[in-house]
Amino acid sequence: MSQSLISPPPSLAAAEAPLSVPVLLVDDRPENLLAMEALLQGLPYVLDVTCAGSGNEALAISLKRDFAVVLLDVQMPDMDGLETATLLRANPKTRHLPIIFVTAGLHDELRQFKGYETGAIDFLIKPIEPVVLRSKVAVLCELYSKCRELEEHKASLEARVAERTRSLSALAAQLSEEVQARRLSEQALRDSEARLRMVIDSACEAFIAFSAAGIIIEWNQRAEELVGWPRADALGRQVLDFLNPPTAELGADLPPAEGEDVLLAAADASDDACAQAGATAPVQDLEQLLPGEPGAASRVQELCMWRRDGSHFALELSVWPIPDSEPPLYGCLLRDITTRREQEEAHQRTSASLQETVAARTAQLRQAMDQLVDTERMAALGGIVAAVAHDLNTPVGNLVLLASALRERIAALATDALEGHLTRSRLCEAVADCKEGSGLLIRSAERAQELIESFKNVAVDQTSQKRRQFDLAGCVHDIAATLGRMTRMANVKVELKIPPGIALDSYPGHLEQVFNNLIVNSIVHGFDGRSEGTITIAACVEGESVRIDYRDDGVGIASELQQKVFEAFYSTKFGKGGSGLGLFIVRRLLCNVLKGEVKLDSTPGAGVHFAIKLPLKVPA
């Protein structure tokens, strides 16, 4: 099998683009195939020529593709042209192929009739006339081209019809769905309106709806009960008619006796009724009801509303625009707030009474707290007095003992002088004893003077509570000295690392109370169960403030208790000497009186650290 493409003349090819026309040439001799192929040149078609060398090959090729014409040689070995044509006509797929027999020996009419019976449409007798061959093939090519154009047009029309059919079917289905949806929507709307009507009527709140002109279009059962007007009588009226005292026009719609009663009640109504109901005045303009700002969700106000019998009541009116309503509509909720007003007034009276009671109780608690603080301070001062008195026993006892000894020594010296037994050695010995005794006497007196001076400073500061200038080192030294007996008994060493010259303009009594409570707290709680301990108090100036670091190396305070230790009446030793006010008074004095601050940092087993920051000069 061979295949070639024969193009039309250049003039025709330029004029139009012909369709490629398939042509099948069947001959057992290749030279005949080449000759027929050459003769077909010049046709105004693009010929797609396929050559077959036998009938079997032609049958196989024809099953694979379609042809416009089959030029079939009659005399071929194995299978001649007549048998090949018979087989082509027997197959439904190839029976439509137009066959032209090409022969040199089929001249009698009987054989020609047999050829026509096998499906041939014409005969070409060799030698072939080129014009005859081209004209016959051209006719069949033209027919093939037209058939293909018709088939393509038919396919295009069928596709368009199918597309239009699908579009119409889709439109019909869409229209059917829209119609069905519209029906369902209308039914749902009717059901919704029925449910809405039922909900509105069964609502526990009075509901009305009105147009932009104020005409009432909805009035539920609760509104009937609240205002006293039936729905049928209220629909179509102005909403403002019910927010103002009844008029003669409104009374004319009532039975004569009832209308007279309503007008008489209206005659008694005045602006006082509106004031009692919470409204400033009757509503005269519809704009007073509508939401003021564009796009506002609602407007709530308290007004006065009149019932059918002419009585009035306090009303909370909530008005909002109904969404997507055309023309614009407004919904409105009516609430009788008379009871709420009475409850609010009672609540206000109760609240005022409670505020007065709370203020009185607060003042009493504050006074009691001040008394507790004073009591605690005086108790601490009493403890200091006892400690100082005990410490004074030693130097005062020494003074008495030394004075008695000196008196006896001088009396003995005088006796020796009177009796004439006074010698130089005895005189020198007596003078040495008196000199030593007077030295001990002076040191004991100075110790007693120091104790008395420290106690006097502490006592005066803590009892007078006056503001003055003082030296921080001297203040802390005085309180440490007055607590010396307590620290010695607890075997606690107090180390002061405060440089002299830190002058404070503050309240020394309160500061001494702070250190007294801190030292006592360390002895009672920090060194509980320990045989010894150390307290360190250091200070330094930081700008306009002084920083004081109080530390002990006691048992420390657990993290969950560090905020509670500053609370009033919190103590881990209630009933064992603890009042629960020590550190509470410390923070109260430091923060409220001395205008400073205190922070606690402690780790269990590592002692406590109170970081205190005080202004050098307390603000007035």
Side-chain angles (χ1 to χ4, degrees):
M1 180 190 75
S2 63
Q3 189 171 357
S4 61
L5 194 66
I6 300 177
S7 301
S11 60
L12 294 176
E16 56 184 55
L19 180 68
S20 176
V21 179
V23 176
L24 177 60
L25 304 181
V26 184
D27 200 308
D28 60 322
R29 300 181 64 180
E31 59 272 19
N32 292 339
L33 294 175
L34 290 175
M36 284 192 292
E37 203 173 324
L39 292 175
L40 292 177
Q41 292 183 357
L43 291 176
Y45 300 100
V46 177
L47 298 182
D48 184 5
V49 178
T50 301
C51 297
S54 65
N56 289 327
E57 187 178 2
L59 291 175
I61 294 172
S62 64
L63 291 175
K64 296 179 181 180
R65 60 180 300 187
D66 193 19
F67 292 97
V69 61
V70 179
L71 297 177
L72 180 59
D73 186 24
V74 176
Q75 296 178 352
M76 292 186 296
D78 297 331
M79 181 185 297
D80 61 12
L82 296 176
E83 186 178 356
T84 302
T86 301
L87 293 176
L88 287 175
R89 286 293 180 265
N91 192 333
K93 190 173 181 180
T94 58
R95 66 176 52 178
H96 67 282
L97 294 179
I99 300 173
I100 299 178
F101 282 123
V102 180
T103 180
L106 198 62
H107 298 288
D108 58 291
E109 292 182 355
L110 182 60
R111 295 194 66 183
Q112 288 183 359
F113 287 149
K114 186 177 179 181
Y116 284 123
E117 288 176 357
T118 58
I121 62 171
D122 207 347
F123 281 89
L124 289 177
I125 306 300
K126 295 179 181 180
I128 299 173
E129 183 66 32
V131 176
V132 174
L133 174 62
R134 284 195 289 268
S135 63
K136 291 180 181 292
V137 171
V139 170
L140 293 175
C141 289
E142 179 69 18
L143 179 61
Y144 178 83
S145 298
K146 296 300 182 183
C147 289
R148 290 297 303 273
E149 290 178 1
L150 288 175
E151 288 177 358
E152 292 177 358
H153 187 59
K154 177 184 177 182
S156 175
L157 288 177
E158 288 177 350
R160 293 173 61 185
V161 169
E163 179 65 26
R164 180 60 61 87
T165 302
R166 287 193 296 270
S167 299
L168 291 176
S169 299
L171 289 175
Q174 182 179 357
L175 181 60
S176 177
E177 292 175 359
E178 290 180 355
V179 170
Q180 184 66 20
R182 177 64 62 86
R183 291 175 180 173
L184 294 176
S185 177
E186 291 175 353
Q187 182 62 38
L189 181 59
R190 288 192 294 270
D191 295 341
S192 176
E193 289 176 350
R195 289 193 298 270
L196 180 61
R197 175 76 261 161
M198 181 178 64
V199 170
I200 290 175
D201 285 338
S202 61
C204 60
E205 297 282 358
F207 172 81
I208 66 174
F210 57 89
S211 66
I215 304 301
I216 296 175
I217 61 173
E218 187 54 68
W219 185 278
N220 72 347
Q221 185 176 353
R222 179 63 183 129
E224 294 182 4
E225 298 171 358
L226 181 64
V227 187
W229 282 88
R231 181 173 184 271
D233 295 339
L235 295 181
R237 291 188 179 277
Q238 261 285 342
V239 67
L240 296 179
D241 292 344
F242 302 94
L243 299 175
N244 290 278
T247 61
E249 180 181 356
L250 185 62
D253 295 334
L254 302 175
E258 185 179 351
E260 291 177 2
D261 294 339
V262 170
L263 293 178
L264 288 174
D268 296 333
S270 63
D271 291 344
D272 294 338
C274 296
Q276 293 174 3
T280 56
V283 180
Q284 303 295 337
D285 189 356
L286 186 63
E287 295 296 328
Q288 294 178 247
L289 300 181
L290 304 181
E293 297 295 331
S298 64
R299 182 175 186 177
V300 181
Q301 52 189 321
E302 295 182 359
L303 302 172
C304 181
M305 195 168 197
W306 271 261
R307 297 188 178 92
R308 182 168 182 161
D309 59 5
S311 63
H312 60 272
F313 61 94
L315 170 74
E316 183 183 80
L317 191 70
S318 301
V319 181
W320 69 92
I322 297 178
D324 303 325
S325 58
E326 188 62 36
L329 300 177
Y330 295 90
C332 181
L333 285 180
L334 313 176
R335 298 185 183 92
D336 186 350
I337 59 173
T338 303
T339 303
R340 192 184 78 184
R341 279 288 181 79
E342 295 173 353
Q343 293 174 348
E344 288 176 352
E345 292 174 359
H347 175 72
Q348 290 175 358
R349 291 192 297 269
T350 304
S351 178
S353 176
L354 286 175
Q355 288 178 358
E356 293 176 359
T357 303
V358 169
R361 294 289 188 272
T362 302
Q364 293 174 1
L365 288 174
R366 187 176 292 109
Q367 183 179 2
M369 187 62 69
D370 292 339
Q371 291 176 355
L372 283 174
V373 173
D374 292 339
T375 302
E376 182 73 13
R377 185 175 64 252
M378 296 308 296
L381 185 60
I384 293 174
V385 170
V388 170
H390 184 277
D391 284 349
L392 281 175
N393 282 335
T394 300
V396 171
N398 291 338
L399 286 173
V400 173
L401 180 62
L402 289 171
S404 299
L406 286 173
R407 184 178 61 183
E408 291 176 359
R409 187 64 170 136
I410 292 173
L413 182 63
T415 301
D416 289 341
L418 291 175
E419 294 179 355
H421 299 299
L422 182 63
T423 62
R424 183 180 181 85
S425 59
R426 285 188 177 183
L427 180 60
C428 291
E429 183 180 350
V431 169
D433 291 341
C434 289
K435 185 176 180 181
E436 182 180 0
S438 63
L440 293 174
L441 187 65
I442 291 172
R443 286 196 296 274
S444 296
E446 289 176 348
R447 173 60 180 162
Q449 181 184 12
E450 180 183 0
L451 289 173
I452 292 172
E453 186 67 25
S454 297
F455 172 71
K456 183 185 70 174
N457 292 336
V458 172
V460 169
D461 289 335
Q462 293 197 19
T463 54
S464 65
Q465 300 181 7
K466 290 183 178 179
R467 174 175 176 169
R468 65 179 178 86
Q469 292 185 353
F470 60 94
D471 183 71
L472 177 61
C475 176
V476 178
H477 176 270
D478 289 341
I479 193 64
T482 55
L483 295 176
R485 178 176 176 272
M486 180 181 293
T487 56
R488 287 193 301 274
M489 290 180 63
N491 198 21
V492 173
K493 181 181 179 182
V494 179
E495 296 181 353
L496 302 182
K497 298 181 179 180
I498 304 175
I502 300 179
L504 298 180
D505 185 357
S506 187
Y507 298 91
H510 293 307
L511 188 57
E512 290 166 354
Q513 180 72 37
V514 167
F515 285 111
N516 177 84
N517 290 8
L518 290 176
I519 294 172
V520 171
N521 187 76
S522 293
I523 294 173
V524 174
H525 298 281
F527 301 120
D528 184 26
R530 294 197 175 189
S531 60
E532 61 180 0
T534 301
I535 296 174
T536 304
I537 304 176
C540 63
V541 177
E542 295 181 350
E544 298 297 322
S545 302
V546 59
R547 176 187 173 89
I548 303 174
D549 293 297
Y550 178 94
R551 304 174 188 269
D552 71 33
D553 57 358
V555 297
I557 302 174
S559 58
E560 64 271 14
L561 301 179
Q562 292 183 16
Q563 292 300 323
K564 294 184 178 180
V565 296
F566 290 110
E567 297 177 0
F569 305 111
Y570 177 80
S571 176
T572 59
K573 290 186 176 295
F574 267 124
K576 300 179 182 179
S579 65
L581 292 174
L583 293 182
F584 168 74
I585 293 175
V586 167
R587 186 168 68 174
R588 187 170 182 270
L589 293 177
L590 288 175
C591 298
N592 296 348
V593 180
L594 301 178
K595 308 302 181 184
E597 60 184 41
V598 58
K599 295 181 180 179
L600 170 60
D601 182 20
S602 177
T603 302
V608 297
H609 173 209
F610 290 94
I612 301 171
K613 189 174 183 180
L614 298 175
L616 294 175
K617 183 175 182 181
V618 176

